[in-house]
Every structure is written in structure tokens, then in C-alpha cells.
Amino acid sequence: MRLLFLGDIVGRPGRTAVVERLPRLRERWSLDLVVINGENAAGGFGITEAICDEVLAAGADVITLGNHSFDQREALVFIERQPRLLRPANYPRGTPGRGATVVEARNGARVLVMNVMGRLFMDPLDDPFTVVAQELEACPLGAACDAVVIDMHAEATSEKQGLAAFVDGRASLVVGTHTHVPTADGRVLPGGTAYLSDAGMCGDYDSILGMQKDEPIRRFLEKTPGSRLEAASGEGTLAGIAVETDDATGLAHRVAHVRIGPHLAPSGPDFWE
Ligand SMILES: [Fe+2]
Ligand SMILES: [Fe+2]
């Protein structure tokens, strides 16, 4: 089975890169499932229903979120009627939406997709390790589903590596999001779980984390309130990870970093070309 995960869509450059490139990638690589983090899709802050629909129509099967889940207030409402949009599962009980779902991939496989948020240098949510363990117990890989994809939205690499080691052999992929910078450590762990510390962002890398540079620089120099952060407006680059899993076990065979666009050294799954 062929999976593609792409990191945080940031503003219009990220959306345009996804909408223009994803339909062709889906065909070229015969992708069975595509998951994309969309927490910064609306001008860098949250996601609207129109943008959510646009990204799903471009070929995403599931969209995950993070600490910016509800920056656009309308997400509090439409997430309830959009089963393919996930917010972190370890939000407090009663938070609108859901943190995990089972979707049917293009090849007919059942895939559990989960979104959790780390707690180091982040908002203090429920323990993500316990939440992930509960979800995996309710829907075990190889029994109730054919693949498991976990988006671990977190700041600290240690916490992301910790979660990956914790579920190694019980998930197809654990991928980090949130830092907006892709890491180079994509690999298959000893138990068969594919791992990447951070997928990076789909956005304009001539920026500071996808935002125009002037205001962040000013904030570092002058500790005073200023103008709003605005998403950068140059051409977007796609970043994430491609994973091939074993149909029998749901564990990963091989992975490739995905970087397509003007600003990063190009990379892709040559084994699917
Ligand atoms: Fe983000
Ligand atoms: Fe984030």
C-alpha cells in the first residue's frame, strides 16, 4: 500500500502547491491514501470549510490539525459534519470534532488515521501516549484495520521519537508536524513503523515558518505589539514522506522524503517512478 503524508499547509502558497500538484502525484505514484496537516491553511491560522473542501477535492483523504485547529472559529462548527477533518485526540472531553477516524483507502484497505498533540513546550493537553494506546487497542493494526497513520503534532523531537518508539510495530507511520521544517531522519524503525520527526510545511520557504519575514524579525528586535503575521506569498514547496507498507502486516517496507518545489533540495520516492 502506498501512503503519502504532507506537512502543515501554510496559507495560499501551500494550498496552491497542493491543489496544483497533488492530483498528478496521486496518479503518478498510484497513491492509496493521502493525509495532509492543514492547521495553517487559512492565511497561516486554522482552516475554513471552503479550504477544507478544496484540499479534500485535490486528493487528500484526511486532513489533520494541531494547536491552530480552531483559529478560524467556523471550524468549531463544521468539524462536526466533516469526518475527514481531525483535531488532536487529546483535547479535553467535549471539544468539537474527533481525533481519529477509519477511512477506506483507494485499494479498499481500512486505515486508522489519528492526530495527537505533544505536551512539551505546547498547551497542556491530556497525555498523548495514553490516548494513542487506547485508540490502538480499540482498532489494532492487522486485526481491525490494515494501516495506521499517526500525526504527532509537537514541538519537541524527543517526544515525537518517544511516541514512535512506544508504538513501533503497532502503527504503519508516525510522523511529526508543527515545526514547519522537514527533518532528514525518515526511516523504518526496528518494529516496522515508518517514522519522520517532522514532515515540514507545504508553503513558501522564503519566509519565517511560512510567514512574511519583516514582522517576526521586528518582534525579535522590539518586544512590543505590532502588525499581524501574514503568510508569505511566493511559490510553495510540498514537504512530507512517502511510505510503502506491507499489505499483509500493515507495517512499512520503505520510505522516501518528499520535497517538491523551488526552495528545498528535491526528493521523492524513486522506487515508485
Ligand atoms: Fe503548523
Ligand atoms: Fe502547530
Side-chain angles (χ1 to χ4, degrees):
M1 177 167 176
R2 295 178 173 193
L3 311 172
L4 175 68
F5 184 97
L6 296 175
D8 310 23
I9 297 173
V10 182
R12 183 170 296 281
R15 297 194 320 261
T16 301
V18 167
V19 167
E20 286 184 352
R21 295 184 191 270
L22 183 58
R24 264 172 289 162
L25 290 180
R26 264 209 97 120
E27 294 314 311
R28 191 165 118 204
W29 294 339
S30 302
L31 296 170
D32 295 304
L33 187 90
V34 176
V35 180
I36 310 182
N37 187 294
E39 72 150 2
N40 309 103
F45 299 94
I47 189 165
T48 63
E49 187 165 29
I51 290 172
C52 180
D53 290 345
E54 186 186 24
V55 173
L56 291 173
D61 294 288
V62 177
I63 299 171
T64 52
L65 295 168
N67 53 307
H68 291 289
S69 295
F70 300 114
D71 285 1
Q72 303 294 323
R73 293 287 189 85
E74 64 175 271
L76 288 163
V77 178
F78 81 82
I79 197 170
E80 293 283 0
R81 58 175 178 260
Q82 181 45 268
R84 291 176 180 271
L85 180 64
L86 302 180
R87 46 77 173 162
N90 51 334
Y91 267 122
R93 192 180 292 273
T95 302
R98 62 200 63 73
T101 189
V102 177
V103 294
E104 190 179 321
R106 193 158 289 189
N107 65 343
R110 301 154 300 167
V111 184
L112 170 64
V113 183
M114 210 187 309
N115 186 196
V116 289
M117 205 154 92
R119 295 192 295 183
L120 293 180
F121 318 116
M122 309 278 290
D123 290 340
L125 300 182
D126 292 347
D127 173 16
F129 288 71
T130 303
V131 168
V132 165
Q134 286 166 349
E135 294 288 349
L136 291 177
E137 210 166 292
C139 188
L141 178 62
C145 62
D146 305 302
V148 174
V149 175
I150 302 174
D151 173 357
M152 170 59 159
H153 194 80
E155 186 76 48
T157 309
S158 61
E159 199 176 14
K160 300 183 201 186
Q161 289 191 348
L163 186 88
F166 178 61
V167 303
D168 186 17
R170 294 188 284 163
S172 313
L173 169 66
V174 173
V175 56
T177 55
H178 177 69
T179 73
H180 293 194
V181 178
T183 57
D185 60 337
R187 64 192 190 275
V188 180
L189 301 177
T193 296
Y195 175 68
L196 178 65
S197 291
D198 207 290
M201 68 169 174
C202 296
D204 177 5
Y205 280 76
D206 182 18
S207 67
I208 298 188
L209 306 187
M211 310 308 278
Q212 292 176 20
K213 290 175 269 190
D214 291 358
E215 177 58 16
I217 291 170
R218 194 204 62 76
R219 289 186 189 186
F220 285 117
L221 289 168
E222 308 164 26
K223 293 293 179 187
T224 51
S227 48
R228 287 180 39 194
L229 294 172
E230 302 277 352
S233 57
E235 191 183 339
T237 293
L238 297 184
I241 185 168
V243 183
E244 189 171 280
T245 64
D246 184 278
D247 287 341
T249 64
L251 294 169
H253 272 151
R254 51 188 177 178
V255 304
H257 299 121
V258 173
R259 295 187 300 262
I260 304 169
H263 293 118
L264 301 176
S267 183
D270 295 339
F271 44 78
W272 292 341
E273 298 289 358

